[in-house]
Structures are given as C-alpha cells and as structure tokens.
Amino acid sequence: MAPAEKDLAALTTFHEPFPAEGSNPADVVAMLDEFGSPATVATTGGRYFGFVTGGALPAAVGANWLAGVWDQNASLRVMSPIAAELEDVILRWICEALGLPMECEGGLVTCATMANFTALATARCALLANAGWNVVDDGMFGAPPIEVVVGTEVHASILKALSMAGFGKKRLTIIEADSQGRMRAEKLPRLSKSAIVCIQAGSVNTGAFDPAEEICARAHEQGAWVHVDGAFGLWAGISPKFRHLTKGFASADSWATDAHKWPNVNYDSGLVLVRDGKALHASMGMSAAYLQGGTKREPMHHVPESPRRARGVEFWAALKSLGRTGLSDLIERTCAHAQTFAAGLRNAGFNVLNDVVINQVLVSFGPEEVTQEVIRCVQQDGTCWCGGTICQGRTAMRISVSSWVTNEEDVQHSLEAIIRIARECLAL
Ligand SMILES: Cc1ncc(COP(=O)(O)O)c(C=O)c1O
C-alpha cells in the first residue's frame, strides 16, 4: 500500500544540483519510473480506504493521457473548443443526474476546497451587491457585514475557503450538531439580512447529511444564501436507493463537489455550481483586451484560474463510460461494502461509532491509544490502508470505501487483517 522505507530513502536521488546540461527525455521518464513509481501510494487499488479517495476509472486514465498530449489551455473556447464543449456537456449532465436546477452555471476546479471557495466568494459578491455594495470595485474595506453560519462538524475546507474569502473563523455563527454530525435545523438563529448558511451533504467522518429541506426553507425565508459542501455525498443523489438522503439540497444556491472522490475521476477534479450564473460570472469573470471570448460560455469566467488544464476531458470520459447506471452501481456497491465492514467489525466485538448511511465507517477499538496503535499497525501491515480521525471527541479509524475497484474479496481480506491486528493490539 505505502512505499517501503528503502524506496523512500531512494528519493534522495532527485535532490541533485540543477543539472547544467539536459538529459534525453526517455532517460528522464525512465528515472521517474525507477525512483518515482516505487514511492507512490497504491490509492488506485481495491484496498485503499484512506481519506475519501476514489480510484481512477480506465476511461478516465486513457482520457487523461490523451489530454496530456493535447496540452490544452481550457481558458477560452478559442484556445480549446473541445475543452469548452466538454465542460458544457458535464455541467448539463451533472445537473440532470443529481437533480440540481438546470439553470445553474458552474466551473471545473481542482477540488472541493476550491469549489467551496468559488461559491463562497460568489455568495459574498451577490449578497453585498443586494446591499448596494460592489466588491469587485470597492473590495471589502468598509463593506456591510455578512453573517456566516456553519455546523460544528463543518469540513475544514469550508473554514479555509471562508478565510480566503475574507471571513474570519472567529466571526462564524456555529450551530450545534446531533450525534451523527448533522446540523440541528431548529437551532438556526434569526439571520441578518446578508447571511450565508453552509450545509453539508456527506460528513467526512460519519457520511451524514444535514437536514437541507428545513434549513433551506428557513434560510431562504430570511433572504440568506445556502451553500452546500457536497464533496462526495452529493453523488448519492444519482442512486435511487440513496437519493432520499439528498432531499432538499437542490433548493440551495450553490454547490461544491468532487469528481476525484466517488465518481473515480483522476486527480485533480472538482466542480462548483451556482444557481445564479450571473453572480458567478460577476465574481469570477475577468477581462483584458487580448482575452477576447465569444458569445458562448467561456470557462475562465466561472472559476478562479484563467489558464487551466482541460480537466473536463477525463471527467467527461468517466461519466460517459459509466453512464447513469454505472455511476449509481458504483455508489451502491461502495455503500454495500461499507455495510459489510461495519457488520464484520461489530460481529468481532468492535464499536462502530456512526450510523453507516453511505460509504463511511468509523470504528473504535477501545481506548484512544489502542485505536491509534491499530491504525498504525494496519498501515504497516499493508493489506489495506485506513486513516484515523477524531469525531465528536472520539478517536476512530476511518474506512472510506470510494473506489470502483474494491470488490467483496478486498473487503473480506481487509476485514480479516483489521480484526487480526486489533486483537493482537488488545492482547498486548
Ligand atoms: C465534506 C468534504 N468537504 C470538502 C472536502 C475537501 O475536498 P478536497 O480535498 O477535494 O478539496 C472533503 C474532503 O474529503 C470533504 O469530505
């Protein structure tokens, strides 16, 4: 799973002085393969359960190679018609598949962190525009205040995005969550005129979904903007079996998600969607005499970056190769594997801390030190890879089943290893 010590030590080979002379390109690539390949982590295998890491679908890998050779700048349509066209297709497909408003505009970014940032910066501009303030012209100096509401289990990337957009962590209104990390809608206070409420579709720890229907209704009554961090959970909306969990999220104003998580598109691949396309353009658009676009959607006006790789190529390839049924099967299969993990761990006498609603399992092996030791030994053993977390004060091992490759055999093999290691650690 993780590289061997000797392979990590060999990475010093790269730390040579900047070569005065060039090298043969084939030798350069051969060196990368010789010393680089052994120092990678096997995240594309079926037994990697760390973070929320999808594998890379074959069509996406092939498309990525092709896109690498094309080396397109997906800034303006004139620079890459294929990149711009595929973005149009992806945006339409995703809105359709996830039941989000078809009028949404959006953009392809590196990750959910950037998608959160793009949406929150847009919300800021739009709310301040409603208050008669132009952020683009006048900046934030002396701007009317914006209230930002998050739940106690908000993902760290929202906090980072908020701080990048000029909202301090100490200025947030934090709403209590229940035992699964769901924001308690009834605790939502009376909001100020300009407010952003950040809700979550899929907690990184428990996989739980905030009660979107109730929160959106209450927030909208008061004129607030609702942003959804749906880095992976939003994709549950494609499955008839899990769609109920995403109920109400379509009423929000903006959404952030990742293609490199559950849809198994290779890194880096995130997506932002905003109901009010004009607001997105107003906050992310830029103009220069030499950057003349056409009359159709221009990718660069919807994201923070201007020059950007054509990440829509592999995103499109993944969606095309899976289709609705394939993506829905992937979601349902990984959730079923999570249930198998949870049942196996419970049967072995261990404490599964969360209601396993989607593909995330949190397990405790007793005292904090024992759980930490089990995580360390599982990583060292190499049968599978799981990371750790602290959820509502409790230390846990996280099992996130996110890869298309994982099969029943991987799950059984990993379960056996985890249980064996946990018993050994407890016997010490
Ligand atoms: C709920 C949630 N939001 C945001 C993120 C950040 O995603 P990324 O690492 O792609 O920026 C994650 C990552 O796991 C997540 O689970």
Side-chain angles (χ1 to χ4, degrees), residues 2 61 74 102 141 145 179 183 200 202 212 222-223 287 296 334 375:
V61 174
M102 290 310 290
F141 302 102
S179 64
M183 200 192 274
Q200 185 159 257
Q222 301 171 62
S287 65
K296 289 177 149 180
T334 45
I375 296 169

Side-chain angles (χ1 to χ4, degrees), residues 121-145:
T122 299
R124 179 191 68 171
C125 280
L127 290 173
L128 288 177
N130 291 344
W133 187 271
N134 185 326
V135 176
V136 176
D137 291 347
D138 300 318
M140 293 294 282
F141 302 102

Side-chain angles (χ1 to χ4, degrees), residues 89-102 234-240 243 246 250 263 271 273 315 319 323-325 327-328 331:
V89 174
I90 291 165
L91 291 169
R92 184 166 53 78
W93 282 2
I94 299 299
C95 289
E96 260 176 42
L98 301 186
L100 299 178
M102 290 310 290
L234 215 49
W235 297 97
I238 196 154
S239 148
R243 189 168 295 146
T246 61
L271 176 74
L273 289 163
F315 195 165
L319 296 176
R324 271 173 185 270
T325 320
L327 187 50
S328 173
I331 302 297

Side-chain angles (χ1 to χ4, degrees), residues 52 111-113 155 157 200 202 204 229 231-232 258 260-261:
V52 189
C111 57
T113 304
H155 191 269
S157 68
Q200 185 159 257
V204 74
D229 175 5
F232 63 102
D258 266 323
H260 58 222
K261 291 191 166 72

